[in-house]
Amino acid sequence: MRKLFWAAGLGLLPWIAVLGTTLPDVVQAQHWRLAWTGFDAAEALGLLATAWLLGRGDPRTPFAAIGTATLLLADAWFDVVTAGDDVAFSLLMAGLEVPLALACLSVAAPRPPVPAHV
């Protein structure tokens, strides 16, 4: 499996160069509203699932938290790079999404065991 990930990661490098040199700077997007509302709905679902699992002490909590953090960081990235003239609002949103993503990652981080008092 490790070799697959190495090959896929390295294989993406030339593709990134192709995209960087051939994609247009501006495009007309279809279903823009649906894309963003769906993405934010996925974030809300991830946050709610993380909260619910965390409240139950469920061992699956880190999976929900990492998935949600990934969505939040991707959202922040695209908010900023697609901002256009509304940069201030996009930076404000990223300023909320990035700390929330870090909070999710802190929930997912393994905790060192607490030594038992003998």
Side-chain angles (χ1 to χ4, degrees):
M1 190 64 75
R2 188 178 65 156
K3 288 181 182 180
L4 170 68
F5 296 145
W6 274 107
L10 292 172
L12 275 173
L13 297 178
W15 178 243
I16 292 166
V18 168
L19 292 177
T21 58
T22 61
L23 285 176
D25 287 333
V26 178
V27 296
Q28 178 75 26
Q30 298 293 321
H31 308 292
W32 190 252
R33 188 176 299 139
L34 176 61
W36 281 108
T37 56
F39 200 85
D40 284 352
E43 290 172 343
L45 183 62
L47 289 165
L48 293 170
T50 301
W52 184 67
L53 291 168
L54 185 61
R56 294 171 43 99
D58 195 298
R60 297 171 293 179
T61 303
F63 299 111
I66 290 169
T68 304
T70 302
L71 289 171
L72 289 162
L73 292 173
D75 193 354
W77 169 260
F78 285 107
D79 281 345
V80 172
V81 299
T82 63
D85 294 333
D86 204 4
V87 175
F89 181 72
S90 295
L91 290 174
L92 173 66
M93 291 308 297
L96 296 172
E97 292 158 347
V98 171
L100 196 49
L102 294 174
C104 287
L105 292 176
S106 75
V107 166
R111 305 281 187 258
V114 177
H117 296 294
V118 185

